């Protein structure tokens, strides 16, 4: 696996993907080979289901949707002696910052807006769906379709009064205020590094956190913190991006039920130290 394919999925995957589809695609990219773009292991592994936050039935529904949108290809079906193989296709490269947009900037000062419906001398030709003589045709307002906000008793649900603060104005929960914009699943890693004295920048926004969350799910926050502390002791690190390559090469967490190997007992057992009885052992200054 590698970070390169994960970053490619985050930056170049089809825009039509939902958040659930994109998260599953990131988890598959974490397991896939960077060169062949093909998954190594079974997609039904607990690590995949936990990382994509899906059940087994939901997994195949999302995979089917990804295939329909051209975001994944099924190379081989699962068999008795082999797992199903999925391949992440090469996506079209997004427009690079150094290549200017060829669309004419219709809203720039040098180009007035020429859309006729918005010109002062042109009447708006949009259908007046909201005029008084035109009834609202939204299905939820039709008489034959009951408004779900009205209980069976027929009494509508009262709207909040002007004295009741709206949901947007209510104070955020304490957990949200203390996270400072970091995903909750990433806080054990962020706070663990800071507590260990490794203070670095976290320049991740939005879905750029997906690789970090996938690595936490795979190897666990304590292992990532331990690696970062040892690395920071050898070199000056400014950004958490410096640790990504090393974190990606850490082993996964043990599977549930994995037993710790038994340590071999020393023959005779452990014995406490006692001074020798023969005083001749001290003759040479020992």
């Amino acid at each position: 696996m590698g970070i390169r394919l994960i970053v490619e999925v985050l930056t170049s995957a089809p825009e039509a993907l939902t958040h659930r589809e994109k998260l599953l695609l990131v988890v598959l990219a974490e397991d896939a080979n960077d060169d062949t773009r093909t998954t190594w292991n079974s997609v039904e592994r607990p690590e995949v289901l936990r990382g994509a936050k899906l059940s087994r039935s939901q997994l195949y529904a999302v995979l089917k949707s990804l295939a329909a949108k051209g975001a994944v290809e099924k190379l081989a079906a699962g068999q008795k002696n082999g797992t199903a193989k999925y391949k992440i296709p090469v996506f079209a490269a997004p427009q690079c910052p150094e290549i200017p947009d060829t669309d004419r900037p219709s809203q720039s000062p040098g180009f007035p807006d020429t859309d006729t419906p918005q010109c002062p001398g042109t009447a708006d030709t949009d259908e007046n769906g909201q005029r008084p003589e035109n009834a609202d045709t939204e299905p939820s307002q039709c008489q034959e379709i009951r408004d779900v906000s009205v209980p069976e008793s027929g009494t509508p649900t009262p709207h909040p009064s002007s004295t009741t603060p709206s949901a947007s104005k209510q104070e955020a929960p304490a957990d949200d205020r203390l996270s400072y914009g970091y995903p909750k699943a990433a806080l054990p890693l962020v706070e663990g590094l800071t507590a260990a004295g490794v203070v670095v920048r976290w320049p991740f926004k939005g879905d750029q956190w997906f690789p970090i969350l996938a690595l936490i799910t795979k190897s666990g926050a304590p292992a990532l913190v331990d690696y970062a502390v040892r690395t920071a002791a050898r070199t000056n690190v400014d950004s958490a991006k410096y640790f990504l390559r090393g974190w990606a090469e850490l082993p996964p967490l043990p599977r549930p039920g994995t037993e710790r190997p038994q340590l071999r007992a020393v023959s005779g057992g452990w014995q406490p130290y006692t001074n020798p009885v023969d005083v001749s052992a001290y003759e040479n200054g020992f």
Side-chain angles (χ1 to χ4, degrees):
M1 66 146 285
I3 296 299
R4 180 175 61 83
L5 191 54
I6 296 178
V7 174
E8 182 178 341
V9 167
L10 292 175
T11 57
S12 305
E15 294 292 338
L17 298 186
T18 64
H19 291 295
R20 175 176 289 186
E21 293 166 354
K22 196 166 187 178
L23 179 57
L24 176 59
L25 196 60
V26 168
V27 175
L28 295 180
E30 188 272 335
D31 179 62
N33 182 288
D34 269 354
D35 297 324
T36 63
R37 311 174 73 90
T38 305
T39 57
W40 288 95
N41 303 298
S42 171
V43 296
E44 295 183 1
R45 291 180 302 136
E47 293 86 349
V48 174
L49 299 178
R50 183 170 60 248
K53 303 185 185 302
L54 298 171
S55 64
R56 187 174 180 274
S57 59
Q58 292 172 337
L59 170 70
Y60 286 102
V62 177
L63 281 173
K64 183 178 180 181
S65 180
L66 284 173
K69 295 179 180 180
V72 73
E73 301 174 5
K74 187 173 184 180
L75 300 182
Q79 300 178 356
K80 182 178 181 180
N81 297 323
T83 59
K85 296 295 181 182
Y86 291 86
K87 180 179 180 180
I88 300 175
V90 178
F91 303 117
Q95 183 173 343
C96 300
E98 63 271 11
I99 301 177
D101 194 343
T102 56
D103 292 338
R104 194 176 79 167
S106 59
Q107 296 299 327
S108 61
F111 295 90
D113 191 349
T114 57
D115 292 341
T116 53
Q118 297 300 324
C119 292
T122 305
D124 194 347
T125 57
D126 291 342
E127 294 184 4
N128 299 319
Q130 296 301 323
R131 286 187 174 180
E133 61 271 17
N134 295 336
D136 192 348
T137 56
E138 288 288 337
S140 61
Q141 300 300 326
C142 295
Q143 296 182 357
E144 61 273 12
I145 302 178
R146 187 178 64 85
D147 192 340
V148 295
S149 64
V150 180
E152 294 293 341
S153 61
T155 304
T157 303
H159 294 284
S161 63
S162 58
T163 59
T164 303
S166 62
S168 59
K169 296 182 180 179
Q170 292 180 356
E171 185 179 2
D175 292 343
D176 293 339
R177 286 186 282 110
L178 296 178
S179 64
Y180 299 101
Y182 293 94
K184 290 184 179 180
L187 287 179
L189 176 60
V190 177
E191 295 174 345
L193 282 181
T194 304
V198 181
V199 181
V200 294
R201 295 183 297 108
W202 295 86
F204 307 103
K205 296 180 180 179
D207 56 7
Q208 294 177 350
W209 281 100
F210 283 169
I212 304 295
L213 300 180
L215 291 170
I216 293 175
T217 301
K218 172 194 169 190
S219 302
L224 304 187
V225 170
D226 180 69
Y227 173 83
V229 170
R230 289 186 282 108
T231 302
R234 300 191 300 267
T235 183
N236 185 24
V237 180
D238 175 65
S239 171
K241 285 186 176 181
Y242 185 88
F243 304 122
L244 286 179
R245 183 177 296 275
W247 281 343
E249 296 175 355
L250 293 177
L253 291 170
R255 297 183 180 182
T258 303
E259 297 183 0
R260 183 177 178 180
Q262 297 292 332
L263 300 178
R264 183 175 60 86
V266 179
S267 59
W270 176 82
Q271 297 293 334
Y273 173 80
T274 56
N275 293 326
V277 178
D278 187 2
V279 295
S280 64
Y282 302 102
E283 291 180 355
N284 293 326
F286 296 103

